[in-house]
Amino acid sequence: MLKQLNFLQFPAMASFRGFRLALTACVVCVLAVDAKYMVYNTSGGVVPGKLNVHLVPHSHDDVGWLKTIDQYYVGSNNSIQVACVQNVLDSLIPALLADKNRKFIFAEQAFFQRWWRDQSEAMKNTVKMLVNSGQLEFINGGMCMHDEATTHYIDMIDQTTLGHRFLKEDFNVTPRIGWQIDPFGHSAVQAYLLGAEVGFDSLFFARIDYQDRAKRSSDKTLEVIWQGSKSRGSSSQIFTGAFYAGNYEPPTGFYFEIDSDSPVVQDDMDLFDYNVQERVDAFVAAAISQANVTRSNHIMWTMGTDFKYQYSHTWFRNMDKLIHYVNQDGRVNALYSTPSIYTDAKYDLHESWPLKTEDYFPYSDRENSYWTGYFTSRPALKGYVRMMSGYYLAARQLELFKGRNESGPTTDSLADALAIVQHHDAVTGTEKQHVAHDYAKRLSIGYKESEEVVATALGCMTQASTSECKSLVTNFKQCPLLNISYCPPTEVDLSLGKKLVVLVYNPMGWKRTEIVRIPVVNENVNVRDAAGQLILSQLIPIVNASIANTKSYASAYLGKSSNVNPKYWLAFTAVVPPLGFSSYTISSDKLGASVMSKQLLYTFEWSQTSPIEIGSGSLKLVHSGINGKLMQYINSRSLVNISVEQSYGYFTGYDRSVDFQASGAYVFRPNGSFPELSEEKVPLTVFRGPLFDEVHQMINSWIYQITRVYKEKEHAEFEFVVGPIPTDDGFGKEVVTRIKSKIGNNKIFYTDSNGRDFLERIRDHRTDWDLQVNQPIAGNYYPINLGAYIKDENSELSVLVDRSVGGSSIADGELEIMLHRRLLYDDSRGVAEALNETVCVKEKCLGLTIQGKYYVRIDPLGEGSKWRRSFGQEIYSPFILAFSEQDDEWTNFPTPTFSAMDPSYSLPNNVAIITLQELENGNVLFRLAHLYEVGEHKDFSVMATVDLKGVFAKKKINKVKEMSLSANQEREEMEKKRLSWKVEGSNTNQGTVPRGGPVDPVKLVVELSPMEIRTFIIELN
């Protein structure tokens, strides 16, 4: 049997037409004396006046799902799924060379780059020839086909940039088309940022709600102009097509993988089962059926599906025949095509198209089947992804400040791991468990290398000169498991005369003042700043529940636990300049300068009626003196005084007792009940101190909560530990926290789109069709990456989150977010595994415990957006903490504080630096994002300016070049090339919202209008 790999050993590929002849002839020669050779006419293009069927050959290749990315690439672990992307690419090239009219599109650069690295120069030249001729087109172009619900916009940009820059550098191509065919719903940010702003001319996908699809099919509005941003106006518009059948497969009966059961085109009249007319009739019937719900005389057939074309010849042989015989028949016209050709054909019609706004969430593929569970599935992985994303942003900055070391270590492996995990079966939590482990492993490996970059950079920057940094004086260590109080670098016994130095790095463009908390062993300690001044600090005992989690999870993840158990959290206020660090020294103090928090226990076993007030600043939370539950939110500065409740509960996962649809990794299918988990009386322990107050509550045996109110802040921080979720009653559970208030939001609430724009949601309502409600809870859940809020004529209640979650407002005055899921049934969407995460220590396995935070604030109407935007950015970009143990003689670093920016300059409050990265050629990739929408805030929804000289104060700027969002082409070039579409209705096209102007090469000031992101390549001296 001839192996496909052998084809690639002949780089010239000159005789593939002969090879095709040989294959055809070898079959015929068995039954006939004379060999026959049939030349199929595949050269036809678009025919005006006819129905044109664009055949688009493709293979959808998940970068992990049932198998890991590497297993999918090499074709191992085939007991799970027979899939090998290496085979797809190996067999594709000779198949394309066999006929110059054949075409193929490929999306996932994580796979293509693996293959590309192994090819000879001759093969690379052959592939470049196919790309230049248009036979092979790179589409979408990111490392993966990212999810659109559980991804943050910065991660979406980064992974797309990684793929696009590779394609530009190696092929000099810029992808034109968005190809999001498998994600489970589609976001507004995808349309305008990862569509229009990267220069795409169109966007195609498969999955929209089944009710929406029915309406659009009836109205012939599956293809629209999608305007994803109200702030960016018509400049955010992109031609968008939802596939006719709700999938990305060929019509039924036209699958041609080697093991498919569709009838092949048998055109040899000397053999039995000749079926040309039958196949042509079926083709024409399927085409007309699709044309009946599609505008114009152009339709697209997606000729492929998951991991197809492993033997490409079977597909192309049958498509060659179909094109030849269908066009001879003449009723319709068939052609090899790509989405670019299809888009141009639609554009050349000069028609107007209906306008679509907002997004395509939530998605349901049938009744009682809302894919809203994955918004929360695998919350530990989601938290890890968000943590690594913020870390990667900071690590790239520090890599730039020190100078990139091409020989390593670099941040590249973390970039690659983060890119892959944005895949729509990765961060979504919809992969098999062993694949989730693989994603986490890759993130961990990437983190370790980036951790070395960060430590080296900080070590250099604290020395007198970074130009001569061959040997580090200070070795900084970090604590990625601080969330479980595990931090060996801080466990030094200071009573022995040691000092602990804490370096606090701020990756944001404005000065920050925040509380830093680290676990310590000693009680009698003090904290001094870089000037040697004693600063206020506070000690809080580490509770037993936290110590138990530390030991268990350190053993599970590291195979060890520390011999020293820290006894206290030490908290102090860190003041850190923009893009800079401050250093603090912790040492022993016999007098105990740190203030020990006062501890008060309330058990409610006796008659206590007076309320319990928490908070020593403007914000006070009031708990009931009868049962301990939260009852009042009071802000003396803003004069907010509102009743509020907070509780935990769970939905029981549907058990398939009536129909097959269970709650699972994808689908949220509650049985309707919602038992609240807090007891009638919830004992609480209060810790009071000069910096913040804490309330500790054991909600039940598997939920623990800490509520913090900071003296200088006006929001409440809720830290939760949920798990192991019990399933011994035979039911899975989906755990939710609810905030209840008296706010009359009249069914309306707001959730973010990938951490960017906020979209209005209306309970039991869809803008585009008359919703038939069959799941009043799951059907009202939306993805949340930044936060959600409700409002009435007086107040607004906001909740911000630390990772992707699902959430809603199921009743007026309420916001709820789902924190954790543990389920016992598969939901029949392909993963074939229940979402039942466990952690094993010494062969004892328990359900996964989740630790995380969410934040709550209530403001007068119109004032909440400033907190949501500014603090939301701080949640995404937390301080980076690094530690160094020093002896008693140590005094200070040569450079104890640092800022890359001019000391008199800070970014405006409505702008964030989202990329600051040294590229391989020494240039700098720099992105700025305006954080506010049009009309969102009276002061900040305005044009903002950034002084590049102030940002790059320590460097001389030689040249500034504005780029597309993915930095693969100049902005001006991109705008000239992009297609401008006509929109139906005289008043629907809002006109282009002004952008920031060109950057003057002398003044070097960047302007940003609301919701604008600008990308630059900067050449520094």
Side-chain angles (χ1 to χ4, degrees), residues 192 228-231 751-753 756-759 789 869 930-937 940-942 1009-1012:
Y192 86 90
S229 172
K230 60 178 180 290
S231 296
T751 64
D752 69 276
S753 177
R756 198 82 180 120
D757 308 61
F758 277 93
L759 302 184
Y789 68 95
R869 293 300 185 181
H930 198 299
L931 298 177
Y932 288 78
E933 299 175 62
V934 167
E936 186 176 2
H937 191 278
F940 296 127
S941 294
V942 296
S1009 62
M1011 279 288 108
E1012 184 176 14

Side-chain angles (χ1 to χ4, degrees), residues 255-311:
Y255 294 74
F256 299 119
E257 196 70 11
I258 197 167
D259 59 350
S260 296
D261 58 4
S262 294
V264 299
V265 182
Q266 206 296 82
D267 61 342
D268 189 338
M269 299 184 72
D270 293 336
L271 304 181
F272 291 171
D273 302 323
Y274 180 85
N275 66 355
V276 169
Q277 193 60 50
E278 177 185 324
R279 293 274 69 202
V280 169
D281 289 345
F283 187 102
V284 172
I288 292 174
S289 177
Q290 183 171 339
N292 286 336
V293 299
T294 308
R295 294 192 180 198
S296 84
N297 62 327
H298 294 275
I299 62 173
M300 184 196 301
W301 280 15
T302 48
M303 299 301 293
T305 184
D306 293 4
F307 302 101
K308 301 307 179 187
Y309 291 78
Q310 294 189 65
Y311 181 54

Side-chain angles (χ1 to χ4, degrees), residues 34 53 142 151 155 275 298 321 347 394 587 649 654 695 812 840 902:
D34 297 323
V53 184
T151 44
D155 292 327
N275 66 355
H298 294 275
K321 294 179 180 182
Y347 183 76
S587 57
Y654 193 74
V695 178
D812 281 356
C840 301
D902 187 304

Side-chain angles (χ1 to χ4, degrees), residues 410-646:
T410 69
T411 58
D412 292 351
S413 60
L414 182 55
D416 188 67
L418 272 169
I420 290 169
V421 81
Q422 306 309 317
H423 168 58
H424 58 268
D425 278 309
V427 66
T428 53
T430 54
E431 66 275 25
K432 282 187 177 291
Q433 185 63 60
H434 78 104
V435 182
H437 290 327
D438 185 74
Y439 291 129
K441 180 179 180 180
R442 291 174 186 277
L443 288 171
S444 179
I445 292 170
Y447 169 79
K448 290 302 292 183
E449 187 173 352
S450 294
E451 183 183 49
E452 192 174 342
V453 172
V454 169
T456 303
L458 292 175
C460 284
M461 293 161 67
T462 54
Q463 294 178 192
S465 172
T466 58
S467 60
E468 298 180 4
C469 194
K470 296 179 181 178
S471 61
L472 292 178
V473 176
T474 305
N475 180 25
F476 283 104
K477 297 181 179 179
Q478 296 159 70
C479 294
L481 296 179
L482 256 180
N483 63 316
I484 60 168
S485 315
Y486 183 80
C487 186
T490 70
E491 293 172 1
V492 55
D493 188 350
L494 301 177
S495 66
L496 302 177
K498 298 287 187 179
K499 294 180 179 178
L500 178 66
V501 182
V502 184
L503 210 64
V504 185
Y505 177 72
N506 172 20
M508 295 185 66
W510 59 70
K511 177 181 174 181
R512 289 163 72 178
T513 302
E514 291 182 24
I515 301 294
V516 170
R517 300 167 66 248
I518 60 173
V520 295
V521 174
N522 304 96
E523 176 180 345
N524 296 323
V525 295
N526 65 40
V527 182
R528 296 182 183 274
D529 62 16
Q533 296 295 312
L534 192 68
I535 64 172
L536 185 63
S537 56
Q538 177 178 341
L539 287 166
I540 311 98
I542 296 178
V543 297
N544 291 334
S546 180
I547 294 172
N549 275 336
T550 301
K551 290 182 177 180
S552 175
Y553 281 85
S555 296
Y557 297 142
L558 304 175
K560 62 182 180 181
S561 59
S562 175
N563 295 325
V564 180
N565 291 323
K567 299 176 183 177
Y568 306 97
W569 283 104
L570 173 65
F572 61 91
T573 302
V575 182
V576 193
L579 294 183
F581 62 75
S582 298
S583 57
Y584 297 87
T585 305
I586 303 169
S587 57
S588 179
D589 189 323
K590 293 179 181 179
L591 298 178
S594 292
V595 178
M596 181 64 71
S597 301
K598 296 179 181 178
Q599 180 174 345
L600 295 168
L601 176 64
Y602 298 88
T603 62
F604 311 110
E605 293 177 355
W606 60 89
S607 178
Q608 153 118 19
T609 56
S610 57
I612 304 161
E613 195 174 272
I614 310 300
S616 58
S618 297
L619 175 61
K620 291 179 172 53
L621 297 184
V622 181
H623 286 253
S624 167
I626 298 173
N627 57 27
K629 295 181 181 180
L630 181 63
M631 55 183 284
Q632 203 78 11
Y633 181 106
I634 303 170
N635 187 324
S636 58
R637 182 200 60 81
S638 65
L639 303 181
V640 168
N641 188 330
I642 192 168
S643 297
V644 64
E645 300 175 25
Q646 183 257 341

Side-chain angles (χ1 to χ4, degrees), residues 645-647 651 674 736-740 810 814-816:
E645 300 175 25
Q646 183 257 341
S647 62
F651 295 103
F674 185 79
V736 166
T737 186
R738 280 182 177 168
I739 312 294
K740 298 181 181 180
I810 299 299
E814 295 182 4
L815 279 175
E816 71 177 50

Side-chain angles (χ1 to χ4, degrees), residues 788-852:
Y789 68 95
I790 57 174
K791 64 182 182 179
D792 60 14
E793 64 276 8
N794 299 312
S795 309
E796 48 188 285
L797 164 64
S798 305
V799 176
L800 299 184
V801 297
D802 66 349
R803 72 198 71 189
S804 169
V805 298
S808 187
S809 175
I810 299 299
D812 281 356
E814 295 182 4
L815 279 175
E816 71 177 50
I817 55 175
M818 186 180 290
L819 305 176
H820 197 2
R821 315 177 75 219
R822 187 183 185 192
L823 299 161
L824 303 181
Y825 297 97
D826 175 56
D827 56 10
S828 305
R829 291 305 184 279
V831 75
E833 194 174 272
L835 184 67
N836 186 6
E837 296 181 279
T838 58
V839 173
C840 301
V841 181
K842 296 179 180 179
E843 300 182 356
K844 181 181 180 182
C845 298
L846 297 172
L848 179 66
T849 295
I850 292 299
Q851 184 270 350

